[in-house]
Amino acid sequence: MSNVRPESMARIETKELADQFIAEQVALVREQVGDKKVLLALSGGVDSSVVAALLIKAIGKQLICVHVNHGLMRKGESEEVIKIFRDGLDANLVYIDATDRFLDKLAGIDNPEQKRKIIGNEFIVVFDEEAKKLTDVDFLAQGTIYPDILESDGVKAHHNVGGLPEDMQFELVEPIKLLYKDEVRVVGKALGLPTNMVDRQPFPGPGLGVRCLGAITRDRLHALREADAILREEFDNAGLSQHVWQYFIAVPDFKSVGVKNSKRYEGWPAIIRAVNTVDAMSATIEEIPYSVLHKITDRITNEVDGINRVLYDLTPKPIGTIEWE
Ligand code: XMP
């Protein structure tokens, strides 16, 4: 398949067009792969999930999905990958809990670029180790989408986790590489993936690693994960999740003085970020109702150990980037 989207290719906006695309790709993948095995790094993000579901439909257990939990996933995320793919779709899924490996490597590292590099490199090492254990795998599937191909020409090189070693001797299977993101979502829905997975907000490859600011510690990472889960739950309850593009918590590595149960209580602040954007190059701030902000503040400060303040970041991009690191 060429890397250029033909002008005649219709935009996949309906279930019918998605079904047609799926049928074509299933046939193409079967023809390419034959009875050989295919390996896929399944993060649980939209793109790799859609590729997984498509390949399961085409070649069933010839697809080996590897889900690496780097310990920087959001609350419940790895469990959901297992539930949907292993339990729901009967996928051949290898789950690797590499939390300790990643967090040990990251201990004491406060430079954001270095943190990203460590996470990206360790991902390759873990995935490569797993690939070496498997014999007779000839193909590597990837969730490359059309913007990845367009963007690799210059402007934005997002050092993504999931970039794989160049010396891997695999032929690539990239069934969605000519699709735009909205089309990937339509195809995902037609494949029967749950809406919350297909419509989910962007989540950076290095995960909570770029939101647990400075040198990551397990206690602060835990607080961040719990606070983030509360934010997501309350955004769902308030009907905000459908129209806010990206929202999350960042937790910096300093404490302030507070008071809890009449005692001095030093804790970290939880910073809410909630932005709207079209292309992530610029972003505006969502006007969250105060009642929702109060509810979130109450819950986070009462339910999350180590957090004693909640702040709302009002900075658009530019000048602030969406992520804090
Ligand atoms: P910034 O912070 O640059 O983020 O305004 C723009 C968008 O990109 C996401 N982002 C990343 N995604 N790997 C990714 O896959 C990364 O290293 C990374 N850094 C930022 C960010 O969440 C936002 O949607």
Side-chain angles (χ1 to χ4, degrees):
M1 190 164 44
S2 135
N3 272 356
V4 181
R5 184 174 167 124
E7 287 202 3
S8 59
M9 187 170 156
R11 194 95 180 181
I12 302 174
E13 285 167 339
T14 60
K15 166 106 172 65
E16 289 66 39
L17 287 171
D19 286 340
Q20 197 183 321
F21 173 84
I22 293 164
E24 281 163 18
Q25 289 304 321
V26 164
L28 283 172
V29 168
R30 284 183 184 153
E31 190 183 304
Q32 183 188 5
V33 169
D35 59 1
K36 301 277 175 21
K37 288 191 185 141
V38 181
L39 190 60
L40 169 73
L42 174 61
S43 67
V46 181
D47 306 336
S48 65
S49 295
V50 170
V51 169
L54 186 58
L55 294 190
I56 289 167
K57 194 175 173 79
I59 56 169
K61 297 233 161 148
Q62 284 165 254
L63 175 72
I64 304 161
C65 302
V66 177
H67 176 70
V68 177
N69 178 357
H70 51 22
L72 303 163
M73 309 292 275
R74 288 172 293 191
K75 189 170 179 177
E77 225 165 10
S78 286
E79 291 81 354
E80 201 185 353
V81 170
I82 294 173
K83 195 172 99 200
I84 292 172
F85 288 96
R86 188 185 282 163
D87 306 345
L89 296 176
D90 196 25
N92 202 345
L93 174 69
V94 181
Y95 170 70
I96 304 168
D97 184 353
T99 302
D100 288 337
R101 288 178 63 156
F102 280 83
L103 295 188
D104 289 349
K105 282 241 153 55
L106 286 163
I109 310 292
D110 60 4
N111 178 289
E113 287 306 304
Q114 216 182 330
K115 284 166 71 180
R116 271 203 163 81
K117 268 200 201 106
I118 290 172
I119 298 167
N121 289 342
E122 191 60 16
F123 184 91
I124 292 174
V125 173
V126 173
F127 189 81
D128 199 28
E129 276 175 21
E130 208 48 47
K132 290 209 171 92
K133 285 187 209 158
L134 303 164
T135 48
D136 67 339
V137 174
D138 293 284
F139 294 89
L140 181 72
Q142 283 191 327
T144 313
I145 65 171
Y146 206 43
D148 299 331
I149 292 176
L150 299 178
E151 278 163 17
S152 64
D153 287 342
V155 194
K156 200 170 92 182
H158 242 142
H159 21 255
N160 219 341
V161 171
L164 295 166
E166 276 161 18
D167 61 353
M168 274 194 171
Q169 298 299 313
F170 293 122
E171 189 182 319
L172 291 180
V173 179
E174 296 179 301
I176 59 170
K177 73 176 176 184
L178 297 184
L179 301 191
Y180 288 100
K181 195 79 177 192
D182 53 319
E183 299 179 299
V184 177
R185 295 190 208 275
V186 177
V187 169
K189 279 178 200 156
L191 283 163
L193 287 174
T195 320
N196 67 342
M197 176 164 253
V198 173
D199 284 336
R200 68 182 218 160
Q201 52 172 321
F203 185 59
L208 299 182
V210 297
R211 299 175 182 171
C212 191
L213 309 178
I216 298 169
T217 57
R218 287 173 195 247
D219 53 354
R220 196 156 50 85
L221 180 62
H222 179 74
L224 162 62
R225 182 175 286 123
E226 294 299 317
D228 186 70
I230 292 173
L231 178 82
R232 287 192 289 143
E233 206 177 302
E234 292 304 328
F235 265 48
D236 280 345
N237 291 342
L240 287 165
S241 21
Q242 290 92 345
H243 71 266
V244 183
W245 196 79
Q246 196 173 14
Y247 47 96
F248 56 86
I249 298 279
V251 177
D253 60 347
F254 60 81
K255 288 187 170 178
S256 68
V257 177
V259 58
K260 197 171 186 179
N261 301 328
S262 317
K263 284 207 194 85
R264 183 182 171 101
Y265 185 74
E266 290 183 10
W268 305 289
I271 302 163
I272 303 173
R273 192 96 173 109
V275 299
N276 277 318
T277 175
V278 177
D279 55 8
M281 305 294 278
S282 64
T284 55
I285 298 306
E286 176 69 19
E287 300 205 354
I288 309 295
Y290 263 89
S291 56
V292 178
L293 289 173
H294 282 307
K295 176 93 188 284
I296 292 169
T297 305
D298 270 356
R299 284 200 57 196
I300 292 180
T301 50
N302 282 306
E303 294 174 32
V304 182
D305 276 347
I307 304 264
N308 68 349
R309 289 173 199 260
V310 175
L311 317 179
Y312 189 27
D313 180 357
L314 289 174
T315 322
K317 175 181 181 177
I319 192 166
T321 49
I322 294 177
E323 302 290 345
W324 270 56
E325 278 188 348

